[in-house]
Amino acid sequence: MSGNGIGADDALTVLGLRQSEIWRLLAVSEAVRRRFKGDQVRLCSIVNAKSGLCSEDCAFCAQSSRSTAPIDKYPLMEEERIMTAARDAKQRGAREFSIVASGLTMRNRRELERVGRAISRIGTEVGMETCVSLGALGADDIAFLLSRGLRSVHHNLETARGFFPRVCTTHDYDEDIRAVRVAKAAGAWVCCGGIFGMGESDADRVELSMTLRELNVDSIPVNFLNPIEGTPLYGTSELTPFGCLKIIVMLRLCHPAREIIVCGGREVNLRDLQGLIFAAGASGMMVGNYLTTAGRPAEEDLRMVEDLGLGLRSL
Ligand code: SF4
């Protein structure tokens, strides 16, 4: 409740609790969320503006060079298609819209300018906060996008440093750390988290959480592995709904004042316990479709928020 958050030992204890012990803890995490984030939750939405064709080999990703998943592959969308996606997201109740592109980084200046024009129009014509997830952007590129009205830069670490080589071998962890530091230094709101359920240990999960604290990230997106056929991690998921809730609780207690946004894999991993994510400490969730998989209808998410007595919040 001081805002400092629990340490690594206590975080590990949380992840080791039995299912019967979680219920009491939800009362604690809910109180922490309420104190720092209130009862208004944040909904964000994304467009996969450039899909597949990635040089990287991230084992969880259907767009990677190792994946044989039958996904749509296309270069950067035209500006109007991005605008249509943003308007659709606003209708779904989302307050923030993220333009996501596959690949290690967006180096092509014409593509970056197209994204910049879309950001500017989404702010003025649609009235949404904007975010980009374009790989490891340089300081100049972030400054350019901020000058167009960008609010947030998203770049996940995915997992702990020690486990990362089991997931990705085509770039190293330090490149991702550097990308986050560059975005922070450029003055962006930084959204940085990871994916859980890839075979990492509880200690790895806590290590990621502590690294996010060191980096002073503003928002933590929490993804739960949805193992897609054709990716190396297909058939490997060992997450349970209560296991997912414990991860959210751990993150909320480590990061009392940060945004914790539940993103991909929510429906398949939490199933009927999705409504408990806010008691566990989430302050927001992604609505609509994910990068290569479909989310559930927005009306169901909006009804869930309303049934829980929660409201919707801007950044
Ligand atoms: S997570 Fe990003 S960098 Fe990794 S394979 Fe997928 S699109 Fe490429």
Side-chain angles (χ1 to χ4, degrees):
M1 284 296 186
S2 69
N4 293 329
I6 61 174
D9 289 347
D10 287 337
L12 207 48
T13 300
V14 168
L15 294 180
L17 290 175
R18 292 192 303 273
Q19 187 165 320
S20 59
E21 296 169 309
I22 302 300
W23 293 105
R24 279 186 301 151
L25 200 60
L26 292 181
V28 176
S29 53
E30 200 271 348
V32 175
R33 189 217 75 232
R34 186 174 290 211
R35 177 184 176 108
F36 291 96
K37 309 312 291 180
D39 276 340
Q40 310 274 299
V41 299
R42 218 184 95 194
L43 305 186
C44 61
S45 202
I46 61 171
V47 61
N48 193 3
K50 183 187 199 180
S51 178
L53 313 165
C54 187
S55 60
E56 303 305 291
D57 70 352
C58 306
F60 54 85
C61 181
Q63 306 185 75
S64 84
S65 58
R66 280 200 274 176
S67 166
T68 57
I71 58 161
D72 287 342
K73 297 175 186 174
Y74 47 83
L76 186 67
M77 278 179 180
E78 292 305 321
E79 191 180 319
E80 286 311 321
R81 283 191 64 197
I82 298 175
M83 293 304 297
T84 301
R87 291 189 187 98
D88 290 348
K90 177 96 184 267
Q91 287 214 320
R92 284 195 292 270
R95 296 294 196 272
E96 184 181 27
F97 183 70
S98 187
I99 300 170
V100 184
S102 61
L104 196 55
T105 188
M106 181 173 276
R107 291 207 179 84
N108 182 315
R109 185 70 197 178
R110 283 175 54 195
E111 287 186 346
L112 205 67
E113 283 175 0
R114 190 184 303 171
V115 172
R117 284 194 300 275
I119 285 168
S120 164
R121 289 182 60 196
I122 291 165
T124 55
E125 295 175 26
V126 191
M128 299 176 84
E129 301 278 5
T130 48
C131 174
V132 292
S133 185
L134 306 175
L137 291 171
D140 290 350
D141 293 337
I142 295 174
F144 165 73
L145 295 173
L146 290 174
S147 76
R148 295 296 182 270
L150 180 72
R151 159 95 183 198
S152 313
V153 171
H154 166 268
H155 192 84
N156 273 351
L157 295 183
E158 312 303 4
T159 188
R161 179 186 289 277
F163 191 73
F164 188 77
R166 300 261 304 273
V167 176
C168 177
T169 65
T170 43
H171 66 273
D172 69 29
Y173 205 66
D174 283 324
E175 290 179 61
D176 291 326
I177 295 267
R178 203 175 308 121
V180 174
R181 289 196 201 283
V182 166
K184 282 293 290 184
W189 173 275
V190 174
C191 184
C192 172
I195 303 183
F196 297 89
M198 300 190 292
E200 76 283 352
S201 66
D202 282 350
D204 290 326
R205 292 168 181 172
V206 170
E207 185 188 322
L208 171 63
S209 178
M210 294 297 136
T211 304
L212 297 173
R213 186 189 283 176
E214 273 169 40
L215 291 169
N216 196 25
V217 302
D218 301 290
S219 179
I220 301 174
V222 182
N223 297 277
F224 299 113
L225 180 70
N226 178 4
I228 298 167
E229 189 165 4
T231 62
L233 292 182
Y234 180 62
T236 65
S237 179
E238 84 297 352
L239 288 171
T240 63
F242 265 97
C244 295
L245 291 175
K246 279 198 287 188
I247 290 167
I248 300 170
V249 169
M250 182 274 288
L251 290 168
R252 171 53 66 206
L253 298 185
C254 287
H255 306 269
R258 299 303 185 214
E259 297 289 0
I260 293 176
I261 311 292
V262 177
C263 299
R266 165 166 57 93
E267 294 89 341
V268 293
N269 286 290
L270 281 142
R271 300 188 280 280
D272 284 350
L273 299 197
Q274 284 178 72
L276 291 175
I277 62 171
F278 300 111
S283 53
M285 64 181 174
M286 186 176 285
V287 294
N289 292 335
Y290 304 108
L291 284 175
T292 58
T293 56
R296 67 177 184 172
E299 310 81 62
E300 292 180 24
D301 285 332
L302 293 172
R303 194 181 315 124
M304 179 174 84
V305 170
E306 192 183 333
D307 289 348
L308 289 164
L310 301 168
L312 302 180
R313 172 168 55 92
S314 305
L315 276 175

